[in-house]
Amino acid sequence: MDIARRAKQISPSLTLEITARAKKMKADNIPVVSFAAGEPDFNTPDYIIQAGHKALELGMTKYTPASGTAELKAAICEKLKNDNALEYLPSQIVVSNGGKHSLFNAFMAVLEVGDEVIIPAPYWLSYPEIVKMAGGVPVYVQTKPENNFKITAVELENAITDKTKAFILNNPNNPTGAVYTRSELNALASVIEKHEVYVVSDEIYEKLNYEHRHHSIAAYSDILKDRTIVVNGMSKTYSMTGWRVGYSASNEKISSAMASMQSHCTSNINAVAQYASYIALSDKYHGDAFLEDMRATFDARRALMMLRLSRLGLKFIEPKGAFYVMVSIKQFQGMSYEGQRIRSAHDLALSLLDNAQVAVIPCESFGAPDYIRLSYAASEKDIERGLDKIAVYLEQLKQ
């Protein structure tokens, strides 16, 4: 007896070793500075926490409709209309257990076995694994540093074949921090309109956008909107990662299929989290104040991180969104620390953790083997302290 082939083909994450080791070191009272965080370091705003308490007091502890409560779906429709110029009916919204669950639902709804999905690299490491679980075939397009790691219309056109079923667009991007301008999205949209291809638009970092106004590719035209599955959620916007609330917006055929599948897999998400999310989206006064404070704080940290990296002579692409910066490790490949050879980003990440007590994420699993990812979801004090440690470490590297 053996496990299923679909389970065998899922690749383990190279980041697990780093994160597990860093957690153990912290538990052993070793002062690790972590640049590995994939979530805001802010607590969930108090007005949302209080909404959770209220939901419990009101007895909101029962089943809800599988695809989400009517009030939350209406609030999501209002958000999409006001923020993204996208008109959806509540029946076109599916509320799921986080953005990852929404992505899984989307690919399960549109992919047949063998369908190809174009994934620009660097990419969030779960994209190819979710595609494979749904029976699809990931097709990677390596983007270029000179284009700020953004796929161009020409690159997208060249990647589309008669087997292409979907294209993943992550804007703003994890791990690069890249943000697509409206003109860049329009160019990609014009390519998609010529082909029978779906777009899965992951916009989870939408509100962490520092230099450009966020635009959704689905707003390009009615044709693009009909072919696009917009995925978003509460985790990054309202620092609600542990509440597990994601959502998707799509055409009626796709949303109905996603809702049906979810009804048999997980049914509804946590009822209390749904009410808290409804209040998060509806209370614009408190919500906007929190979002502006968080965005400004991250922007200041971004500036500090780039300044310190530049002073160290490290090469990186300026991030315009999210809270990550990718740093090239090419200049250190082949060097050694106390006789330990650095052959890859993974080697460097392990060495930094063991010898400098700094946790970074190697980007092999993100389709960028010559880079490490640093998160600035950390205090300015920790950013300074961590980069001081990295500076001392780099001085001890030898050819």
Side-chain angles (χ1 to χ4, degrees), residues 311-386:
R311 286 177 178 173
L312 290 175
L314 296 173
K315 298 177 181 178
F316 62 92
I317 300 297
E318 180 180 348
K320 306 287 188 180
F323 41 74
Y324 311 106
V325 57
M326 284 207 333
V327 179
S328 173
I329 60 103
K330 287 182 181 180
Q331 66 200 91
F332 307 117
Q333 288 175 320
M335 300 179 76
S336 61
Y337 183 93
E338 295 184 353
Q340 183 183 44
R341 186 70 65 184
I342 306 298
R343 298 181 178 86
S344 66
H346 189 243
D347 287 347
L348 181 61
L350 288 175
S351 184
L352 273 171
L353 184 57
D354 290 340
N355 299 299
Q357 292 78 56
V358 178
V360 302
I361 296 298
C363 288
E364 284 97 332
S365 295
F366 294 83
D370 296 329
Y371 289 83
I372 55 174
R373 189 193 75 178
L374 278 65
S375 167
Y376 45 93
S379 68
E380 291 191 8
K381 180 180 177 181
D382 277 350
I383 291 172
E384 294 275 21
R385 190 161 63 95

Side-chain angles (χ1 to χ4, degrees), residues 154-209:
V154 172
E155 289 169 337
L156 178 59
E157 180 74 65
N158 291 340
I160 294 174
T161 71
D162 57 0
K163 295 182 180 179
T164 303
K165 190 64 170 291
F167 161 56
I168 298 178
L169 179 66
N170 182 202
N171 179 41
N173 182 273
N174 173 15
T176 68
V179 174
Y180 287 81
T181 65
R182 188 169 198 165
S183 62
E184 289 168 336
L185 290 174
N186 288 349
L188 295 173
S190 66
V191 172
I192 295 294
E193 278 200 335
K194 296 187 294 183
H195 302 276
E196 291 291 323
V197 174
Y198 287 115
V199 181
V200 177
S201 184
D202 183 350
E203 303 177 21
I204 198 74
Y205 291 97
E206 169 191 4
K207 296 299 183 179
L208 295 175
N209 193 329

Side-chain angles (χ1 to χ4, degrees), residues 42-301:
F42 293 76
N43 194 23
T44 302
D46 187 63
Y47 82 100
I48 300 174
I49 293 173
Q50 292 306 314
H53 287 304
K54 182 178 179 181
L56 290 169
E57 291 168 356
L58 293 174
M60 295 181 180
T61 58
K62 306 297 184 182
Y63 292 130
T64 76
S67 61
T69 62
E71 60 187 2
L72 176 54
K73 292 167 75 170
I76 291 169
C77 288
E78 192 68 14
K79 176 258 179 267
L80 291 167
K81 177 181 177 181
N82 293 336
D83 293 354
N84 310 113
L86 293 170
E87 296 266 4
Y88 289 98
L89 298 172
S91 59
Q92 296 175 278
I93 307 299
V94 178
V95 182
S96 303
N97 293 280
K100 191 178 291 189
H101 188 197
S102 296
L103 290 165
F104 181 77
N105 284 343
F107 289 117
M108 288 294 290
V110 302
L111 294 184
E112 300 287 359
V113 173
D115 284 343
E116 293 182 350
V117 178
I118 295 172
I119 306 177
Y123 47 78
W124 182 46
L125 77 173
S126 289
Y127 290 146
E129 309 311 322
I130 295 172
V131 167
K132 287 188 284 185
M133 281 191 282
V137 178
V139 174
Y140 306 108
V141 175
Q142 190 64 54
T143 59
K144 299 178 177 62
E146 55 266 32
N147 294 328
N148 294 321
F149 291 117
K150 292 185 278 190
I151 190 170
T152 66
V154 172
E155 289 169 337
L156 178 59
E157 180 74 65
N158 291 340
I160 294 174
T161 71
D162 57 0
K163 295 182 180 179
T164 303
K165 190 64 170 291
F167 161 56
I168 298 178
L169 179 66
N170 182 202
N171 179 41
N173 182 273
N174 173 15
T176 68
V179 174
Y180 287 81
T181 65
R182 188 169 198 165
S183 62
E184 289 168 336
L185 290 174
N186 288 349
L188 295 173
S190 66
V191 172
I192 295 294
E193 278 200 335
K194 296 187 294 183
H195 302 276
E196 291 291 323
V197 174
Y198 287 115
V199 181
V200 177
S201 184
D202 183 350
E203 303 177 21
I204 198 74
Y205 291 97
E206 169 191 4
K207 296 299 183 179
L208 295 175
N209 193 329
Y210 308 110
E211 297 183 16
H212 302 290
R213 185 174 181 273
H214 177 79
H215 298 285
S216 176
I217 195 169
Y220 177 76
S221 68
D222 288 342
I223 293 174
L224 254 293
K225 182 187 171 192
D226 188 63
R227 292 186 191 167
T228 299
I229 304 169
V230 175
V231 173
N232 209 323
M234 310 300 290
S235 61
K236 307 304 192 290
T237 300
Y238 295 99
S239 200
M240 294 176 66
T241 52
W243 296 72
R244 308 313 304 135
V245 184
Y247 58 84
S248 61
S250 59
N251 69 42
E252 291 273 6
K253 189 174 182 179
I254 294 174
S255 64
S256 177
M258 292 171 69
S260 294
M261 287 188 296
Q262 182 166 300
S263 72
H264 291 292
C265 295
T266 64
S267 191
N268 64 276
I269 76 159
N270 182 289
V272 172
Q274 288 193 69
Y275 181 76
S277 297
Y278 158 66
I279 295 299
L281 291 168
S282 301
D283 187 340
K284 297 290 288 179
Y285 175 79
H286 288 100
D288 288 351
F290 171 77
L291 290 172
E292 181 52 36
D293 178 61
M294 183 169 67
R295 193 203 66 79
T297 300
F298 275 130
D299 197 12
R301 293 172 179 178

